[in-house]
Amino acid sequence: MTDAPRPSPETLLAQAAHFIDPADGAIVPPIRPSTTFARDADYALMGRSDYIRPDNATYEAVEPLLAALDGGAEALLFSSGLAAASALLETVRTGEHVVAQRIMYYGALTWLRRVSERRGIGLTLFDAGEPESLADAIRPGETALVWIETPANPTWDVVDIAAAAELAHGAGAALAVDSTAAPPVTTRALDLGADIVFHSATKYLNGHTDVLAGVLVTKETDARWQEIGQVRGLTGGVLGSFEAWLLLRGLRTLALRFERASASALKIAQHFEGHPNVARVLYPGLESHPGHAVARRQMRNGFSGMLSLLIDGDAEAAKSVATRLKLIVPATSLGGVESLVEHRKTVEGPTSAVPDNLLRFSIGIEQADELIADLEQALDGI
Ligand SMILES: *Cc1c(COP(=O)(O)O)cnc(C)c1O
């Protein structure tokens, strides 16, 4: 007997949790919302679990799919991306050292700073655009975790995952990759040497702006992974059954949504490069982007729908563009079917390193030409 070929991510996703219920032939898996489970006449558990926090049956259709997509051994669902990041940080001990990016998802960096102060964990930040600065930040024997985000919010700097893995492993550290902007249909960080991959499933994986969720996928079910599982059960950062089910529904169209958003974002980036009211377009899919060559290598199926424009003007000019848009909605978050724009500096506050004139766009699945026309009219006359 020969093994069946491994299905492609597109096929895995389209048939997400492909399932035929022996009871009635249903092909969509059920939602299991019961929080508690009865015991029998001998006071033995009737099923495998007594309570939903440590063991949720609805996850059974979702976690193995997420693990397979990223080519990992196992995946764990969390109540949000930050709950997942926090469970991973919980495995770092006082006295150990963490390396992260100077410009990365602001919420995760804020949490990392707090954990570092409160728990006596060293923290060194590096510049994603400068590969040597990662090598300088890592302390052999002391650094336990290197956390990278690529492409990184909101400048879309690209970090070479394979090179980062080599540096981290050479120093005895683990590499975790925030791959929220590069879901596994385009980047499989574990294949490139990462130990743990993180996704805010709130973004591309769910894709419909109606579920808050996080996921970690591990290459190996080692001691750190066991600890992460325990932390999730003990701190209770678990995803609800309804959200897990909705996430599965969103995942079925991930490949199509990501392909469309990436194609439109590239078109928009190319259109506005050199526009008189745009000082710079930040998009890894552009040849002018400093991370383009690495992005081509590690983003095999599109450069995502995320791009930023540096408006030729100040913060007020950038905000006036955002508010003049008619189709693109001024709102935070990313990776949904609808296009959004955000003035990041307003959201991150005065301590943020993000340029004043930066507008971040999450391109959705609308008609690209209509989005271009909307941007043209908003830029007109600043
Ligand atoms: C949104 C986001 C997070 C945090 O995830 P939540 O689901 O909002 O908790 C982390 N990293 C990146 C890159 C994100 O965009």
Side-chain angles (χ1 to χ4, degrees):
M1 230 175 77
T2 54
D3 284 344
R6 193 169 80 174
S8 65
E10 289 81 356
T11 300
L12 269 177
L13 284 162
Q15 301 196 342
H18 189 56
F19 166 95
I20 297 185
D21 193 322
D24 63 359
I27 67 164
V28 173
I31 306 176
R32 304 298 308 269
S34 186
T35 54
T36 191
F37 301 89
R39 292 172 181 271
D40 65 13
D42 300 321
Y43 208 69
L45 285 171
M46 294 173 69
R48 63 184 195 194
S49 166
D50 65 341
Y51 193 51
I52 201 171
R53 175 161 25 77
D55 186 7
N56 185 330
T58 305
Y59 294 0
E60 269 172 29
V62 195
E63 286 178 338
L65 173 67
L66 292 167
L69 280 174
D70 259 310
E74 283 183 10
L76 285 169
L77 284 170
F78 292 83
S79 53
S80 69
L82 282 185
S86 162
L88 172 61
L89 280 181
E90 201 53 43
T91 65
V92 180
R93 308 273 181 273
T94 298
E96 288 182 335
H97 178 248
V98 173
V99 170
Q101 273 159 233
R102 197 176 309 285
I103 294 193
M104 59 180 252
Y105 178 72
Y106 198 62
L109 184 56
T110 305
W111 179 239
L112 198 52
R113 285 201 163 110
R114 183 185 157 100
V115 167
S116 144
E117 274 169 34
R118 299 281 172 111
R119 300 223 319 260
I121 290 165
L123 174 64
T124 304
L125 302 179
F126 75 99
D127 291 305
E130 294 166 30
E132 334 70 61
S133 92
L134 175 57
D136 293 345
I138 295 176
R139 301 184 194 156
E142 201 185 323
T143 304
L145 180 70
V146 175
W147 172 278
I148 64 172
E149 179 183 324
T150 183
N153 250 292
T155 50
W156 316 111
D157 282 332
V158 175
V159 183
D160 185 330
I161 298 170
E166 213 174 297
L167 286 171
H169 295 158
L175 178 71
V177 178
D178 181 342
S179 208
T180 298
V185 286
T186 199
T187 297
R188 299 217 316 177
L190 300 178
D191 290 351
L192 297 167
D195 302 285
I196 298 254
V197 58
F198 162 96
H199 302 280
S200 167
T202 313
K203 314 296 169 53
Y204 280 112
L205 299 188
N206 180 62
H208 293 75
T209 325
D210 52 12
V211 170
L212 186 71
V215 59
L216 293 177
V217 186
T218 191
K219 186 180 246 167
E220 283 171 33
T221 52
D222 50 12
R224 179 183 45 238
W225 187 249
Q226 304 306 330
E227 194 181 346
I228 291 171
Q230 284 162 6
V231 167
R232 182 181 72 169
L234 291 171
T235 59
V238 290
L239 192 63
S241 301
F242 289 97
E243 283 78 6
W245 189 90
L246 269 178
L247 172 58
L248 185 66
R249 185 159 89 165
L251 279 165
R252 296 201 178 98
T253 54
L254 170 63
L256 278 176
R257 287 185 285 105
F258 187 79
E259 196 181 305
R260 169 68 170 244
S262 296
S264 295
L266 180 60
K267 200 167 175 187
I268 292 167
Q270 285 167 342
H271 182 91
F272 287 99
E273 196 170 39
H275 187 285
N277 296 338
V278 175
R280 226 179 126 196
V281 180
L282 306 175
Y283 187 64
L286 289 178
E287 273 169 38
S288 60
H289 189 283
H292 181 67
V294 176
R296 276 182 83 102
R297 248 189 287 133
Q298 65 189 30
M299 300 182 83
R300 295 179 172 274
N301 224 348
F303 299 98
S304 99
M306 298 309 301
L307 68 104
S308 295
L309 299 184
L310 299 181
I311 302 302
D312 189 20
D314 57 8
E316 288 315 308
K319 276 190 275 187
S320 79
V321 172
T323 53
R324 272 206 298 268
L325 288 161
K326 296 192 169 89
L327 273 180
I328 304 175
V329 181
T332 194
S333 200
L334 61 96
V337 290
E338 67 288 290
S339 295
L340 304 177
V341 61
E342 181 169 49
H343 185 246
R344 279 306 288 177
K345 190 64 172 265
T346 301
V347 177
E348 298 188 10
T351 59
S352 160
V354 170
D356 283 351
N357 60 341
L358 182 145
L359 286 181
R360 182 184 85 174
F361 291 86
S362 172
I363 300 303
I365 62 169
E366 303 94 335
Q367 247 277 327
D369 291 337
E370 292 171 15
L371 298 175
I372 289 173
D374 191 26
L375 263 162
E376 281 283 8
Q377 65 78 24
L379 282 163
D380 193 25
I382 59 161

